[in-house]
Every structure is written in structure tokens, then in C-alpha cells.
Amino acid sequence: MSTVEWRVDKDTHIVFRKRIFSRRKVELNGQPVEGEWRSKRFAFNLADGRPAEIELTASTLSRDIDLKVDGKLIPDVRYVPKDLRCPACKAEIQLLDEFCAKCGQDLGTPARFIGQRSVQGATSAIRLLAVLFALVGVVMFFIMRAPTDAALRNLAQFDDQEVLEPIDGKTYTAGELRKQIVWERNGVLVVNLLLSVIMLVLAWWSRFKPLPAILIATAIYAVVQVTSAIVDPATITQGIVIKAIVIAILVKGIKGALSLRTDNG
Amino acid sequence: MDSETPAPAACAKCGAALRAESRFCARCGTRIPAPEESQVAADPVVPSDGWVAEKAAPTSRGDALRVVAWLYGLLLFTSLVCGIAYSIKPQGDFAFWMTLVDAVVIVCFASYFRNEIGPLLRPSTFDGRARKMLAIAAAIQFVALGAVFYLLERLGLPFERITDEMQRHDYSLWQLIALYSLAPAVFEEIAFRGVMFDRLRLVLGEREGWLVQAAFFSVLHLSPVIFPTHFAMGLIFGWLRIRTGSLLPGMVLHFAWNAVNTLLELYQ
């Protein structure tokens, strides 16, 4: 069942409910609103006569349920802080205020809080990336154990200082090559765990400062894809749809976080 | 208007109902004449962190981020192309071409923002105070980060050897210094502490801009193992830029760090 609530002002409370195998229902101040859905839109009037409309729209990975009053997009209660205050003078404001009644600060439209939806999506994506990095690191570590052990057995016959044939234009001693091989196995685990920790820290930081956190997470994700592509160019096309979706969610999160920024930063 | 006159119930401009004791209309922002003659400042509000700058409109914040995205994206793209070319042909001289292309990209961006970048490069900005800040930063970087890198090497972390390039391409010492010490110092400072930091500061404020440019600097080196150390370096170079208002101290420190590491590699 999906339920979405909007508090347009202290006298107007709208609820949308959709249970499985039942019709969509809209309630205004606890009373059901009669009307017809047309092309996923439901138009009705508020108690004071203002026109309102609920619309179902598809987004990147889910469906958005949007309310408009007088043509203005109204964010639902999940995205609106309980204590709304002017960012400049801290006076109490209401959701529909576009200017602070005390200091005149430009607040923007109520839709500015919709950005929080994209921010939450991006934060979830960052947490998911953290889990994926950790999983990949652990799995790859165990996969690489056998070939690493085989390579080390082949090198066992050489002393550490013995110089080997150049590999890709680089000359190694046996000792250096052993270290390199061991590092390639352990490094996969270390690097992925490090990336996982960084992503977890960024996901935590995005609760307070979403814009810088999502910017850095996007930059790291892009670099990881580029590094994989350099090591093995075939990975450019592997999972390209998933990569595009992740980038789209992160970029949307950046736009959402940008819309939440005030002039005071 | 005398003190007996009540405040209006509706905005004269848009007709919206006004709340009691409102000084501005909450719908259109029009100032409401008060019964008493007190003046309310309707000028741009000074941000609480005290950094007073021009009020950044939402459009210019988006534009600033777009500039950062383009610069970062182009530098990442050249790394991708050169990295793939290098993996196909290890003997190719791609490091030189990558440095050249990056330099051209960064100079183009710097030229576009020359009114902001130019003053940061004036020799007069490298004054006594800047030199003092440089000395402090150099002490921190060489001692603290030097210790960290030494520890990482002892733990067996493999680092890319600059001297391997000497072997592959028969570079002289001066070519190595120019390509791996001087060029990165100059162009990376212009890119990260110049163009990117100025744009990020506009959007995020000084502290967060400082953190994000350091993060971008560290990740663009493409090696997750050195993300933390290069993040710290980015913070130090960024601190120098903020405290001195100049890119020159950061360039000097960056060059010194790269050159010392190159020479240590050669003579170990």
C-alpha cells in the first residue's frame, strides 16, 4: 500500500492512498473526495475553493505522486521540515510562503523541498555502492587466491634479487614481482574496502551536507569506472545500463541538493 | 502614516492576505508600510559564516557546477584515453601527450576566467606572509605525509615509479622534472585551487568548496590507495590558496614535493 500526505497549510491536510487490488483514494481533511482519474490525474477543489490536482508520474526507478495547488508543486510531509524557518532571520514561515514575512528573504517556491526526494535517492545509491564495493572486494579476494598461489609457486625457484625478463617494458626482480602479485590479490580487497568506507562516510555526511557529499560520491564513482576501463577496456560496456542509472540518480541528487541550497550556503 | 493607522489586511500589489505583524508580503515579497517609521533592510542578507560576496542566483550556481563538471570530465577523459592507449602500447609516450592535452584544457579554462585567475598569479601575491604560510605548509606536508608514504611503502604498497618512465622513454633528468614535477604543479594548481575552487566556493561556501576541491584532486589521480594522502595534500594546497590569496605558494610546494620524490627515487 502506498500512502502520501501533504500539509498545504494548517487547515488543509490531503492524503492519497492506494492499496493493492483496490482503487486509489484521496482524502481532504479526513473526508473522501469524489472525482474521476483521467490520464493518471485527479483534479479537485480545496475547502477554500483553490484548485488542486494529484498526478502520478514515472521517475527513474519508481513513480512519483505529485500534488499541485494553484499550479504550484507541493512537497509531501516526508520532505518538509517540521519546523519551517526562514534561513536568513529564523522567523517561522509557512510552506506556501515564497518570501519571508519578517525580512523579505526570497524563499523560492514550495517545490524547493522536492529536491529532498532526489537527495534521498542519491544517498540510498551511495549506501548501495558502499555495500557493493565491500562485496566485490571480498569476492574478488577469494577468486584471486588460487591464481595468485599458482604464480607464487612458479616464482619459488627464483631468489629475491634475481632479475627476470621484462614484463610490458618493466624490469622486475623476483622479490619485486612476488610483492606485486601478492599486492594484486590483497589490493583488490583493500581498495574496495577503502572505497566502501569512503562511500559510507559520504552517505552519513549527506544527511547534513548533501550537495558536497553527492558531488564527491559522483566523482569517485566516475573515477572507479574509468580506472576499471583502463585496466580492462572491455568493462566499459559491461553493465552499462546499471552504470548509466547510477550516474543518473547521482546527478539528479546533485540537482535536488542544489535546489535545497539557500543563499547562505 | 501615523501610529494610529492599522497595518493593511491585504497586499496592495498582489492582493494576498497578510498575517499580523508582517513586514513583507509572503507571496510577492512587497514591503508593507509599517505604522511606525522603522526601516527594515531589504538588501541581500549577509550569510551567517561572515563571508560576504555577491548573492549567487540559482542559475549562476548551476553554471558554476557545470564549469567544474566540464573541467573535471575533460581531465578524466584524457586520463581514460591515455590509460587505454598505454595499456595497448606500453612503449608509447602517452604521459607527455596527456600532460600536454591537460595543460591545453586547463589553460583554456583559465583564460576564460582570467579576471579571477590572473590576480592569483601575480608575483606581488608571493609576499612575506605567503612565504611564512608556505613554510608552515611545507613542514606539515613533508613531515606528516612523508611519514605516511614511508609507512605505506614499508607495508608493501606498490607505487607508480616515475623513474620507470625514464627507462621506457629515455628521458633526461630535466625532462622528468619538467613533465612530472613542474607541469603538474603549475597546471593542477590552476585547475583545482584556481578554476574549480572559485566555482565551488560560489556554490558551497569556502569550507565545503575547500573540501570538495581536495576530494576532486585526490580522486583524479586514479589510485584509490592514495586517495587519503592526496586528499590531505589537496587540503594543504587549498589552505595555502585561501590564506594567501595566491596560487604561487601552492605551486612552489607542489613542485618541491614532486621534485623531492623524483630525486629520492633516482638516488635511493
Side-chain angles (χ1 to χ4, degrees):
Chain A
M1 179 176 95
S2 54
T3 303
V4 183
E5 284 182 56
W6 296 268
R7 287 205 179 275
V8 181
D9 51 47
K10 61 181 185 336
D11 297 321
T12 311
H13 179 220
I14 301 169
V15 179
F16 167 88
R17 291 186 211 279
K18 171 75 175 83
R19 286 191 174 87
I20 300 172
F21 305 124
S22 84
R23 296 163 65 90
R24 300 174 198 130
K25 286 182 186 155
V26 176
E27 292 169 14
L28 173 62
N29 295 335
Q31 301 300 317
V33 178
E34 298 301 325
E36 266 188 40
W37 283 87
R38 291 191 183 167
S39 301
K40 296 200 170 30
R41 281 189 184 152
F42 183 86
F44 60 104
N45 287 331
L46 301 184
D48 53 14
R50 283 178 291 171
E53 182 182 76
I54 293 179
E55 187 181 0
L56 309 179
T57 52
S59 73
T60 315
L61 286 177
S62 63
R63 191 179 58 183
D64 293 332
I65 302 165
D66 293 328
L67 169 72
K68 284 184 186 167
V69 171
D70 270 336
K72 286 183 197 154
L73 196 58
I74 307 294
D76 68 65
V77 296
R78 288 173 295 173
Y79 307 115
V80 179
K82 287 191 171 40
D83 183 26
L84 273 178
R85 294 205 171 258
C86 171
C89 69
K90 307 299 176 205
E92 259 189 62
I93 57 174
Q94 294 179 13
L95 179 59
L96 290 180
D97 289 350
E98 295 187 26
F99 293 86
C100 174
K102 189 173 173 193
C103 70
Q105 171 75 5
D106 186 346
L107 302 171
T109 63
R112 66 187 182 277
F113 295 107
I114 297 281
Q116 190 63 28
R117 187 161 64 191
S118 308
V119 166
Q120 287 184 356
T123 303
S124 300
I126 295 170
R127 266 191 229 112
L128 185 63
L129 286 174
V131 170
L132 283 174
F133 280 133
L135 275 175
V136 163
V138 169
V139 166
M140 291 303 296
F141 175 78
F142 285 106
I143 287 176
M144 287 175 75
R145 270 175 75 179
T148 303
D149 291 344
L152 288 173
R153 275 196 298 273
N154 288 341
L155 278 176
Q157 58 186 294
F158 299 104
D159 292 331
D160 276 352
Q161 302 308 317
E162 210 165 324
V163 177
L164 305 172
E165 293 288 321
I167 301 170
D168 289 337
K170 261 177 149 175
T171 308
Y172 296 96
T173 62
E176 284 170 350
L177 192 58
R178 272 190 208 104
K179 269 193 197 171
Q180 180 81 10
I181 290 168
V182 168
W183 165 250
E184 279 178 9
R185 181 196 62 192
N186 297 343
V188 164
L189 181 65
V190 167
V191 164
N192 279 285
L193 286 180
L194 178 64
L195 288 172
S196 177
V197 166
I198 292 173
M199 287 301 192
L200 283 175
V201 168
L202 290 174
W204 170 80
W205 193 32
S206 72
R207 288 165 52 196
F208 314 102
K209 300 283 184 186
L211 184 53
I214 300 173
L215 278 172
I216 296 173
T218 309
I220 290 175
Y221 184 73
V223 155
V224 167
Q225 301 313 313
V226 164
T227 310
S228 300
I230 289 171
V231 169
D232 181 5
T235 59
I236 293 176
T237 51
Q238 288 171 5
I240 196 161
V241 172
I242 306 283
K243 288 173 190 169
I245 289 174
V246 170
I247 293 280
I249 292 173
L250 291 173
V251 169
K252 210 172 158 191
I254 291 171
K255 288 182 180 170
L258 196 55
S259 72
L260 292 175
R261 296 292 286 205
T262 65
D263 287 350
N264 285 345
Chain B
M1 187 178 288
D2 61 43
S3 57
E4 298 291 327
T5 309
C11 173
K13 188 174 174 189
C14 67
L18 298 173
R19 294 194 281 275
E21 296 179 8
S22 290
R23 294 178 185 160
F24 294 85
C25 170
R27 186 194 286 179
C28 66
T30 302
R31 185 162 172 262
I32 311 299
E36 63 280 0
E37 287 300 308
S38 61
Q39 290 294 313
V40 173
D43 294 325
V45 178
V46 174
S48 56
D49 66 2
W51 179 49
V52 182
E54 76 259 18
K55 195 171 171 179
T59 309
S60 61
R61 285 201 293 264
D63 288 344
L65 273 189
R66 252 175 243 117
V67 167
V68 172
W70 269 106
L71 178 53
Y72 181 88
L74 284 169
L75 295 177
L76 193 58
F77 182 70
T78 56
S79 299
L80 171 66
V81 169
C82 289
I84 291 177
Y86 181 74
S87 63
I88 295 169
K89 192 181 172 194
Q91 300 301 325
D93 201 0
F94 300 112
F96 168 75
W97 289 109
M98 188 171 95
T99 303
L100 183 64
V101 171
D102 283 349
V104 168
V105 166
I106 292 166
V107 165
C108 287
F109 276 83
S111 302
Y112 188 80
F113 295 105
R114 57 186 171 277
N115 289 340
E116 295 169 23
I117 302 298
L120 300 174
L121 294 172
R122 284 195 201 124
S124 56
T125 58
F126 196 48
D127 54 13
R129 186 170 171 274
R131 289 191 200 107
K132 187 177 156 194
M133 297 288 140
L134 172 60
I136 295 170
I140 295 169
Q141 178 149 336
F142 277 92
V143 170
L145 285 182
V148 168
F149 274 104
Y150 175 74
L151 191 64
L152 291 176
E153 275 205 350
R154 289 293 297 250
L155 286 173
L157 257 64
F159 290 106
E160 185 71 25
R161 297 279 168 207
I162 292 169
T163 45
D164 289 343
E165 293 301 309
M166 246 181 127
Q167 272 185 304
R168 280 195 211 109
H169 306 297
D170 202 22
Y171 286 147
S172 68
L173 176 62
W174 299 112
Q175 283 172 318
L176 260 191
I177 297 283
L179 201 54
Y180 288 97
S181 300
L182 184 61
V186 170
F187 295 111
E188 285 177 7
E189 290 309 305
I190 293 174
F192 292 97
R193 264 61 68 179
V195 178
M196 279 198 206
F197 175 65
D198 280 347
R199 308 271 76 71
L200 289 169
R201 186 168 63 172
L202 193 67
V203 181
L204 301 171
E206 193 164 83
R207 191 177 63 175
E208 288 164 31
W210 173 59
L211 290 170
V212 173
Q213 66 78 26
F216 284 4
F217 171 75
S218 73
V219 302
L220 259 182
H221 283 76
L222 298 188
S223 175
V225 168
I226 57 172
F227 279 178
T229 49
H230 280 59
F231 178 67
M233 267 194 254
L235 291 179
I236 293 172
F237 298 144
W239 178 79
L240 273 176
R241 151 76 175 92
I242 293 168
R243 293 302 296 262
T244 64
S246 172
L247 289 176
L248 298 177
M251 285 180 184
V252 169
L253 179 56
H254 199 156
F255 169 72
W257 174 264
N258 291 348
V260 164
N261 279 300
T262 302
L263 293 172
L264 275 176
E265 237 185 80
L266 278 172
Y267 295 111
Q268 258 176 354

